[in-house]
Amino acid sequence: MADVSSLPIPAKEDLDTNLDDVLQQDLVTVEATLLDDVMSDEQYLIQSRRAFIGGAAGTATLGTVAMCACGCQGRQKFFANMMNNGMSDYEALPQVQQFKSQLFDHIAVGDDIMEIGIGSGPNLKYYADKSIGKLMALEPNREFDEYIIQNVAKSNLQTKVDIVPGVAESIPKADNSVDVVVGTMVMCSVSSVKQSLAEVYRVLKPGGRYIYTEHIAAPQTAKALACAQQLADPLQQALAEGCHLRRDPEHEIIQTFGQENVNSERFVLSSDDILPPHFLLSPHLIGVATKT
Ligand SMILES: C[S@@+](CC[C@H](N)C(=O)[O-])C[C@H]1O[C@@H](n2cnc3c(N)ncnc32)[C@H](O)[C@@H]1O
C-alpha cells in the first residue's frame, strides 16, 4: 500500500478551486444531457430502436419456440394457411396484379408450364385466359394441396393441374421438356438457390422462359427497412418454413442464364399500399430469363 504520510496536504483555497472545477464540469454535463434530451431526435431514435429490438427479439424467441414445439406438420399447416389467407391483400395490390399480368404475357398458347413452389396457387388466375398446355405444380408441402384444388376451382382454368411433390433442387422432369418455369417468391425458401436455378435451366427447352418475382434484401439506401428485415429474419424463417428476408438471387440468375438473356427489374413496392408485415417483403426483383 502507498505511504500517504509523505504526500503534500493541499491548501484550503486549492481545495475550493478544485471543488468549483468539479461543480462546473458537472453543470456542463447536466446541461449537455438536458440539451440532448430536448434536442436530439437521434437519442429518441436510439431509445425507440432499443425498445423495438427488445420487443422483436422477445417475439422472435417466443415465436421460434412456439413453432419448434408445433412439430413439422403443424408448421407446414400453419404456413399453408398463412400463405392462402394472409397474402390475399398483397395479391390484390394493383401494382402486384400489374407486374404479374405483364410477366405472364410471356406465356404463349399451348406452353407446358412448371410452376415451382406453387404454394396455394395465387398465380392460377393469370393462366386462365392463356390456353396453356400442361400445368405442373411442384410443391414440397402437402398442406397446400387442398388450397391448390380450391383455387383451381375458383380460377376458371380449363387445364388440368398436376400437383407434383418435390423440390426445385431436383425437378422430376426430363431435360429440355418445359416451355416455361414460373417461380414467385420461391428462391427465398429453397435450400440451394444455385442448384434450383441449374434445375430450372436444365428442364427448360431452348427458347424456354423462366418467369420470376422475388422479395429481396432492401437496398443499402433503405437502412431502416434493411435493419427491420435483419431483425425479423429469424422469426420469418421460423414462421414461414425457411423463407429468408435478405436474399437476392439476381446474381445467380445471371450466372445461370447469361447476362444478355436476363431481363430483370428491381423496385420497392409503394409503402402507401403495403402494410405490416408485408412491408418487409416490399423490395422486389422481377423478370424473365430465357434459355438459349
Ligand atoms: C413464400 S412461399 C410462395 C408460394 C407461392 N409461390 C406464392 O407466390 O405465394 C414459398 C413456397 O416455396 C415452397 N418451397 C420451399 N422450399 C422449396 C423447394 N426447395 N423447392 C420448391 N419449393 C419450395 C414453399 O412450400 C412455398 O410454397
Side-chain angles (χ1 to χ4, degrees), residues 140-159:
N141 180 351
R142 297 285 52 78
E143 299 297 333
F144 277 115
D145 291 0
E146 63 172 288
Y147 296 118
I148 298 173
I149 292 162
Q150 281 168 19
N151 290 325
V152 168
K154 282 188 211 158
S155 70
N156 287 332
L157 188 64
Q158 302 305 316
T159 314

Side-chain angles (χ1 to χ4, degrees), residues 167-286:
V167 292
E169 290 87 344
S170 173
I171 302 179
K173 284 294 289 178
D175 298 359
N176 308 318
S177 60
V178 176
D179 296 294
V180 175
V181 174
V182 172
T184 61
M185 299 193 178
V186 178
M187 290 303 139
C188 55
S189 297
V190 297
S191 309
S192 166
V193 173
K194 197 173 168 197
Q195 172 65 18
S196 299
L197 289 170
E199 279 291 276
V200 167
Y201 193 84
R202 179 185 66 75
V203 300
L204 278 174
K205 295 175 185 170
R209 288 129 281 145
Y210 168 46
I211 294 173
Y212 53 90
T213 74
E214 294 292 340
H215 64 84
I216 55 171
Q220 282 306 313
T221 45
K223 284 206 169 69
L225 183 53
C227 177
Q229 283 183 330
Q230 243 148 15
L231 288 170
D233 209 8
L235 181 62
Q236 172 77 3
Q237 287 176 42
L239 291 180
E241 285 288 285
C243 166
H244 294 70
L245 289 172
R246 303 268 310 145
R247 281 191 180 165
D248 187 341
E250 187 175 34
H251 177 68
E252 283 98 336
I253 295 173
I254 288 172
Q255 278 200 321
T256 308
F257 284 84
Q259 175 88 64
E260 62 286 10
N261 305 313
V262 176
N263 194 353
S264 272
E265 208 184 312
R266 323 165 68 85
F267 54 86
V268 179
L269 281 180
S270 155
S271 54
D272 294 341
D273 295 337
I274 192 155
L275 293 171
H278 299 328
F279 78 97
L280 294 167
L281 313 179
S282 58
H284 271 56
L285 171 75
I286 66 168

Side-chain angles (χ1 to χ4, degrees), residues 1-279:
M1 195 187 282
D3 177 10
V4 291
S5 60
S6 59
L7 292 175
I9 298 168
K12 181 175 176 302
E13 311 82 69
D14 290 344
L15 275 177
D16 286 349
T17 316
N18 284 345
L19 198 60
D20 279 352
D21 283 352
V22 171
L23 280 174
Q24 193 57 39
Q25 276 170 14
D26 274 358
L27 275 178
V28 171
T29 315
V30 168
E31 220 169 278
T33 311
L34 281 175
L35 275 177
D36 273 355
D37 279 352
V38 175
M39 290 177 63
S40 174
D41 280 352
E42 204 178 327
Q43 204 86 17
Y44 172 75
L45 255 178
I46 290 169
Q47 292 304 334
S48 321
R49 212 174 289 160
R50 279 190 191 137
F52 179 68
I53 291 170
T59 315
T61 311
L62 278 178
T64 310
V65 169
M67 289 317 288
C68 289
C70 227
C72 180
Q73 205 189 346
R75 283 199 305 272
Q76 291 190 334
K77 202 177 179 68
F78 169 85
F79 178 53
N81 186 286
M82 183 172 79
M83 287 306 296
N84 189 56
N85 299 313
M87 291 299 281
S88 47
D89 50 350
Y90 167 86
E91 295 296 338
L93 290 173
Q95 209 183 339
V96 172
Q97 300 205 26
Q98 193 185 358
F99 70 66
K100 283 201 175 182
S101 296
Q102 284 170 359
L103 288 171
F104 282 70
D105 277 348
H106 289 266
I107 293 172
V109 172
D111 274 350
D112 287 341
I113 298 166
M114 160 71 67
E115 181 162 344
I116 53 173
I118 191 168
S120 61
N123 301 321
L124 291 166
K125 62 181 178 190
Y126 296 99
Y127 303 118
D129 61 349
K130 299 236 167 342
S131 302
I132 56 172
K134 290 184 200 139
L135 177 55
M136 293 151 281
L138 185 77
E139 176 52 56
N141 180 351
R142 297 285 52 78
E143 299 297 333
F144 277 115
D145 291 0
E146 63 172 288
Y147 296 118
I148 298 173
I149 292 162
Q150 281 168 19
N151 290 325
V152 168
K154 282 188 211 158
S155 70
N156 287 332
L157 188 64
Q158 302 305 316
T159 314
K160 180 175 166 286
V161 180
D162 280 335
I163 301 178
V164 182
V167 292
E169 290 87 344
S170 173
I171 302 179
K173 284 294 289 178
D175 298 359
N176 308 318
S177 60
V178 176
D179 296 294
V180 175
V181 174
V182 172
T184 61
M185 299 193 178
V186 178
M187 290 303 139
C188 55
S189 297
V190 297
S191 309
S192 166
V193 173
K194 197 173 168 197
Q195 172 65 18
S196 299
L197 289 170
E199 279 291 276
V200 167
Y201 193 84
R202 179 185 66 75
V203 300
L204 278 174
K205 295 175 185 170
R209 288 129 281 145
Y210 168 46
I211 294 173
Y212 53 90
T213 74
E214 294 292 340
H215 64 84
I216 55 171
Q220 282 306 313
T221 45
K223 284 206 169 69
L225 183 53
C227 177
Q229 283 183 330
Q230 243 148 15
L231 288 170
D233 209 8
L235 181 62
Q236 172 77 3
Q237 287 176 42
L239 291 180
E241 285 288 285
C243 166
H244 294 70
L245 289 172
R246 303 268 310 145
R247 281 191 180 165
D248 187 341
E250 187 175 34
H251 177 68
E252 283 98 336
I253 295 173
I254 288 172
Q255 278 200 321
T256 308
F257 284 84
Q259 175 88 64
E260 62 286 10
N261 305 313
V262 176
N263 194 353
S264 272
E265 208 184 312
R266 323 165 68 85
F267 54 86
V268 179
L269 281 180
S270 155
S271 54
D272 294 341
D273 295 337
I274 192 155
L275 293 171
H278 299 328
F279 78 97

